């Protein structure tokens, strides 16, 4: 059994066995990660009635606080249970289930995070830029597209799914990619450095 966690957009926790989602909890609460995540993990594990053999966690890109909560939770559980924790780009978890497409998520500040996919595998990105600068190919998926309908016509809102996270992890493992659990921010935070330095 695999425990999947992603807090790059909606809060997602699920138990997956093979190609079957045993239990899933998801909630779109941009500022509720710290309050909701632990309870969602407990509910999913109570449903699954077994400890996971590994954990797959989305590494973003996303905003600092929500992303950090998911990554710290996954690392802590992995350490406590003695199971491996694999990090995957959250955009890959969307692209993995939509084939040839462009994934666009909200980066705030009138920008978007994006990546392009062919047959579910990333061929460009991830990157952050103004919506008009995204090199779109195929259909557009993700929460960022519908925010800019003048740029991304017919975009479909989408978040990472449990099976998408597992597929992205399988692809990363097969290609020998680094599966570190470091957050993928793509830009510096608003506050950084020492004033006057």
């Amino acid at each position: 059994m695999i425990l999947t966690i992603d807090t790059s957009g909606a809060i997602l926790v699920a138990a997956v066995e093979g190609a079957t989602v045993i239990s899933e909890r998801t909630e779109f609460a941009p500022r509720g990660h710290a309050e909701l995540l632990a309870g969602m993990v407990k509910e999913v594990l109570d449903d699954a009635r077994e400890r996971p053999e590994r954990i797959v966690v989305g590494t973003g890109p996303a905003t600092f606080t929500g992303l950090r909560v998911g990554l710290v939770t996954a690392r802590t559980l992995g350490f406590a249970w003695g199971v491996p924790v694999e990090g995957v780009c959250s955009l890959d978890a969307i692209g993995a289930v939509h084939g040839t497409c462009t994934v666009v998520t909200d980066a705030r500040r009138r920008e978007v995070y994006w990546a392009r996919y062919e047959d579910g595998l990333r061929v460009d990105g991830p990157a952050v830029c103004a919506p008009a600068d995204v090199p779109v190919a195929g259909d557009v998926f993700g929460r960022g597209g519908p925010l800019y309908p003048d740029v991304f016509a017919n975009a479909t809102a989408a978040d990472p799914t449990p099976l998408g996270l597992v597929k992205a992890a399988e692809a990363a493992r097969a290609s020998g990619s680094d599966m570190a659990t470091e957050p993928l921010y793509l830009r510096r935070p608003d506050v950084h450095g020492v004033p006057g330095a």
Side-chain angles (χ1 to χ4, degrees):
M1 193 267 281
I2 302 168
L3 178 67
T4 62
I5 297 173
D6 189 273
T7 54
S8 64
I11 306 167
L12 167 70
V13 180
V16 178
E17 196 156 353
T20 303
V21 177
I22 301 168
S23 178
E24 178 179 356
R25 300 292 186 279
T26 184
E27 186 166 339
F28 185 68
R31 289 177 169 73
H33 299 83
E35 295 81 9
L36 297 172
L37 186 58
M40 293 168 76
V41 169
K42 182 182 183 312
E43 290 172 6
V44 163
L45 293 177
D46 286 348
D47 289 348
R49 297 183 180 178
E50 61 180 304
R51 184 174 289 177
E53 295 174 10
R54 65 188 165 104
I55 300 170
V56 175
V57 61
T59 60
T63 56
F64 182 86
T65 304
L67 189 58
R68 210 68 168 162
V69 170
L71 291 169
V72 169
T73 299
R75 289 179 194 155
T76 302
L77 293 173
F79 177 79
W81 294 332
V83 299
V85 180
E86 301 172 335
V88 297
C89 173
S90 301
L91 303 179
D92 292 356
I94 300 172
V97 297
H98 292 291
T100 299
C101 66
T102 303
V103 175
V104 178
T105 61
D106 184 19
R108 301 184 182 169
R109 303 185 210 168
R110 297 184 183 175
E111 291 183 321
V112 293
Y113 299 119
W114 65 272
R116 285 192 303 118
Y117 298 84
E118 290 180 8
D119 298 324
L121 299 176
R122 184 173 3 122
V123 295
D124 196 6
V128 60
C129 67
D133 295 332
V134 176
V136 174
D139 293 329
V140 175
F141 294 92
R143 286 188 181 267
L147 296 176
Y148 303 96
D150 53 325
V151 178
F152 306 110
N154 303 315
T156 302
D159 288 309
T161 64
L163 295 179
L165 286 160
V166 171
K167 279 187 174 185
E170 289 170 351
R173 209 176 308 111
S175 68
S177 297
D178 180 20
M179 299 179 76
T181 58
E182 292 304 312
L184 181 59
Y185 293 127
L186 300 185
R187 66 179 175 209
R188 298 179 75 179
D190 288 330
V191 179
H192 58 272
V194 178

